[in-house]
Amino acid sequence: MDIGLFMVPFRLPETNFQDGFDWDMQVIRWAEEYGLSEVWVGEHTTQRWEPVASPELYLAAAITQTSRIKLATGANVPANHNPIALAHRLMQFDHMSRGRLMVGLGAGATREDLQIHGTSEPKPMMAEAVEIMRKVWSGERPLRHEGKYWTLDVPAYSEELSGPFLTPYQQPHPPLAMAGLSPNSGTLREAGAAGCLPMSFAINRDYLAGHWHKYVEGAESAGHTPNRNDWRVAHTVFVADTDEEAMELAIRGGLGRSYREWTWPAYARSGMLPLMAPELDEHDPATMSLEYFAENHWLIGSPDTVVEKLQRDIEVSGGFGTLIAFTFDYLDQPEAYRRNLELLGTEVLPRIKNLEHKTESLSELQQQIAVAR
């Protein structure tokens, strides 16, 4: 089992872009120093708290500042781009990073982002865009695709006028990933069918077994063999030397502010709060306290406490390959955040590294879920 990071990134309103960018680069350097495996960067054109319009451009700055850690877009929204241009940008990144690239794919969860790009049908547009990207990466020449939204017209190789055309550093292309949120995530079923890596994103642990079930269902329908080591679970994490210190830093620091001022209001507008804690009444502020989440749902505490909480997730889910910790803006407390990453890499990671995963067929998973219900 590994540990990685997810940079949405949460950016406090008073932090300007340049300072926030420098902070994120420092966090990536620390992540590599302390043995974390990967970092994902989101794509949001219109969000002040998540100001990254081009994750591949953002991560390109980290290539020369690191040597080992995987650099992942999380996620590109192909429907918001010309997929031919996006496929070539990602191929170039794949070469520049010598194969450290992973590519997250999403239909776009932010209404304003879709609006500014003029994306009217995000899911079918995403499906066609990914089909085109795979064809670009295939190296097949000549090639033509006439779709509903885009046309791909690749000329034949010509010794005199063009070529050799660019193909990915990783063959047949960089690993692709898709994330799911809802209890019966159709996206994760699609991920399994498409042979993509699965990621469960910021949800209640009770949904994890169902997520894996949907992924296995999709994978087996397409003849793929699902592997729990491919499964990423994104989580809210903060580690300190003591439980009391971790709780104080999480609740009073950038993590707590991000939830109070941005995540909860955004989730409430979209009706997604029940995904975080279905047992709570989202209309009763008393049940939506940060302390409740930190104690019952998030991985907040000393290394001992975080490992204990993480083991509950592992037991409920059957096991997954990589814990992905969200990052937060702690420019005012950099040493505390550095220590959080140090403890994640040097105390938590060694204790979960060799945990074994369950292996089940689709029929066995269906029986387990039926019994749980």
Side-chain angles (χ1 to χ4, degrees):
M1 190 172 183
D2 288 313
I3 298 177
L5 299 180
F6 201 113
M7 290 181 168
V8 178
F10 293 109
R11 182 75 68 239
L12 299 180
E14 64 269 23
T15 301
N16 66 43
F17 183 89
Q18 289 75 19
D19 290 341
F21 170 77
D22 290 343
W23 169 252
D24 288 339
M25 293 301 108
Q26 177 61 78
V27 168
I28 293 173
R29 293 193 298 271
W30 281 332
E32 177 162 282
E33 178 182 352
Y34 297 127
L36 304 190
S37 62
E38 58 200 58
V39 57
W40 299 74
V41 172
E43 175 183 308
H44 295 282
T45 307
T46 63
Q47 307 303 302
R48 176 63 183 86
W49 284 75
E50 305 173 11
V52 176
S54 171
E56 66 275 15
L57 184 59
Y58 206 82
L59 283 168
I63 291 174
T64 59
Q65 301 184 46
T66 58
S67 61
R68 174 193 56 80
I69 196 167
K70 292 282 187 178
L71 304 169
T73 63
N76 287 117
V77 183
N80 289 347
H81 303 272
N82 180 309
I84 303 163
L86 179 60
H88 282 85
R89 289 201 302 272
L90 291 169
M91 274 197 293
Q92 180 169 310
F93 187 105
D94 198 30
H95 283 272
M96 291 167 60
S97 66
R98 289 178 170 81
R100 287 195 278 155
L101 172 65
M102 296 187 289
V103 178
L105 301 169
T110 306
R111 180 185 58 217
E112 294 84 358
D113 280 7
L114 298 175
Q115 179 179 338
I116 199 171
H117 288 283
T119 304
S120 57
E121 299 180 288
K123 287 194 174 181
M125 290 178 74
M126 172 184 163
E128 184 179 320
V130 174
E131 180 184 0
I132 289 171
M133 291 167 67
R134 287 180 184 267
K135 287 181 175 180
V136 169
W137 291 333
S138 72
E140 183 182 342
R141 309 291 186 262
L143 177 64
R144 185 169 178 83
H145 168 97
E146 294 188 24
K148 180 178 179 181
Y149 306 103
W150 295 280
T151 296
L152 171 66
D153 190 7
V154 182
Y157 173 75
S158 167
E159 188 84 37
E160 296 78 19
L161 299 178
S162 61
F165 299 118
L166 187 64
T167 56
Y169 184 92
Q170 301 175 81
Q171 291 294 322
H173 52 68
L176 306 180
M178 298 173 70
L181 287 86
S182 62
N184 297 301
S185 174
T187 302
L188 287 177
R189 192 187 190 287
E190 293 172 18
C196 295
L197 307 176
M199 181 182 289
S200 295
F201 201 81
I203 61 162
N204 182 276
R205 66 171 55 91
D206 293 339
Y207 295 158
L208 288 174
H211 271 201
W212 183 246
H213 171 264
K214 297 303 291 187
Y215 182 74
V216 171
E217 185 179 83
E220 293 192 356
S221 73
H224 301 307
T225 301
N227 183 345
R228 284 186 180 270
N229 287 321
D230 294 336
W231 188 14
R232 273 81 175 160
V233 174
H235 221 314
T236 302
V237 183
F238 201 101
V239 193
D241 290 288
T242 67
D243 290 344
E244 295 76 16
E245 183 184 5
M247 187 71 73
E248 177 68 19
L249 287 165
I251 300 300
R252 311 298 172 202
L255 187 159
R257 281 193 61 192
S258 296
Y259 273 97
R260 280 193 302 270
E261 299 176 30
W262 168 242
T263 306
W264 280 351
Y267 272 35
R269 287 194 301 272
S270 60
M272 293 168 57
L273 276 176
L275 297 178
M276 300 175 64
E279 76 276 16
L280 300 184
D281 181 356
E282 64 180 280
H283 302 294
D284 181 0
T287 68
M288 294 298 295
S289 71
L290 288 169
E291 289 80 3
Y292 179 88
F293 278 90
E295 290 285 354
N296 295 283
H297 290 282
W298 298 339
L299 304 180
I300 307 294
S302 66
D304 287 344
T305 297
V306 168
V307 169
E308 180 182 347
K309 290 181 175 181
L310 182 56
Q311 286 174 334
R312 285 184 290 176
D313 288 2
I314 293 168
E315 290 170 3
V316 168
S317 67
F320 46 87
T322 307
L323 170 69
I324 304 294
F326 293 117
T327 67
F328 296 91
D329 186 337
Y330 275 79
L331 271 167
D332 59 340
Q333 296 174 294
E335 177 56 27
Y337 203 78
R338 184 206 63 78
R339 181 61 172 160
N340 157 59
L341 296 175
E342 181 182 23
L343 291 171
L344 263 180
T346 63
E347 296 289 338
V348 176
L349 180 58
R351 293 164 63 178
I352 64 171
K353 188 72 175 176
N354 297 316
L355 290 176
E356 294 185 358
H357 301 152
K358 296 179 182 178
T359 56
E360 311 97 338
S361 66
L362 180 58
S363 60
E364 289 171 329
L365 283 167
Q366 289 170 334
Q367 291 173 2
Q368 292 171 15
I369 291 173
V371 170
R373 288 173 178 168

